[in-house]
Amino acid sequence: MIRIKCCGMTRAVDAVLAAELGADAIGLIFTARSRRRVDIGQARAIARALPPMVTTVALFMDEDAVFVDEVIAAVQPALLQFHGAERDDWCAQFGRPYLKAIAMGDGSDALPRLRAYPGAAGLVLDGHGLGEVGGSGKAFDWSLMPRGLAQPLILAGGLHPGNVAEAIRIARPWGVDVSSGIESAPGIKDPAQLEAFIAAVRAADKVPR
């Protein structure tokens, strides 16, 4: 079954609805460069509101290690996600499983970066360019999704209810990650779009691949 991560949550009501509709993971963004950034107090409230067996993911981009440790202590995320120029060993220092985002906006030139993070629990292939913040709504060429890597691959960038089934058919990812494609405004999730997105993914699950 394809896993679903709904990212850029800023309100507990949106995160709880996503979980009730079947999302597997909720993403909380801590980088100041994002319009969907939450502070530690917001994040803790969202995490505490979630039902059990829903994964909380804390997302960073070139943050100070002290700050990452502070977030971990206060929020207790199950997974970390790094979107910047962090190295594999740097990401691994916190003793928690982590996802590494790979900027696929460079096309095939981005593919070598996929093998630079052997310690990652999974790789998030996003549509933005190198050094850019995720959540831009940009898609990349889904046919570039590689095969045969040891880690699960999570498809992100430009996904929405109208194209996620086609993206899954072409890319065949382990999971999908959505943010701007289910929003009425940055950080504010639209209930109808959220429900439609999750329903589209579950429908795509039933199609033989």
Side-chain angles (χ1 to χ4, degrees):
M1 187 168 65
I2 296 169
R3 278 69 171 180
I4 301 172
K5 174 171 168 274
C6 296
C7 199
M9 293 289 179
T10 63
R11 306 189 304 177
V13 64
D14 295 339
V16 170
L17 177 60
E20 290 174 344
L21 290 170
D24 300 285
I26 299 299
L28 303 170
I29 300 175
F30 291 92
T31 177
R33 297 174 60 183
S34 174
R35 295 179 294 173
R36 299 167 181 86
R37 178 181 182 268
V38 290
D39 60 33
I40 287 177
Q42 284 176 286
R44 188 162 44 196
I46 293 169
R48 288 178 175 175
L50 290 174
M53 301 177 71
V54 177
T55 300
T56 304
V57 185
L59 190 152
F60 306 95
M61 185 175 184
D62 299 319
E63 316 298 337
D64 185 272
V66 173
F67 177 63
V68 176
D69 279 329
E70 184 181 357
V71 170
I72 292 171
V75 182
Q76 293 295 309
L79 269 173
L80 308 179
Q81 181 171 329
F82 296 103
H83 263 258
E86 304 95 347
R87 294 167 55 92
D88 183 61
D89 56 349
W90 194 93
C91 297
Q93 70 179 297
F94 303 100
R96 301 226 169 184
Y98 79 89
L99 306 173
K100 182 65 181 74
I102 305 297
M104 294 296 293
D106 299 329
S108 60
D109 290 342
L111 293 176
R113 293 197 289 270
L114 294 170
R115 301 189 183 278
Y117 296 91
L123 301 173
V124 180
L125 278 63
D126 207 338
H128 60 82
L130 189 63
E132 295 178 356
V133 180
S136 63
K138 297 177 182 177
F140 66 95
D141 181 354
W142 298 322
S143 69
L144 291 174
M145 200 77 158
R147 304 282 185 261
L149 286 179
Q151 295 129 312
L153 299 181
I154 301 162
L155 180 63
L159 298 178
H160 54 74
N163 70 1
V164 68
E166 179 71 359
I168 289 169
R169 185 187 69 81
I170 295 171
R172 298 171 60 190
W174 184 85
V176 292
D177 190 341
V178 65
S179 183
S180 62
I182 53 170
E183 289 183 336
S184 57
I188 307 299
K189 308 308 180 188
D190 180 88
Q193 292 295 310
L194 180 55
E195 183 174 10
F197 183 88
I198 293 175
V201 175
R202 294 301 175 228
D205 262 332
K206 298 176 182 178
V207 177
R209 289 183 283 152

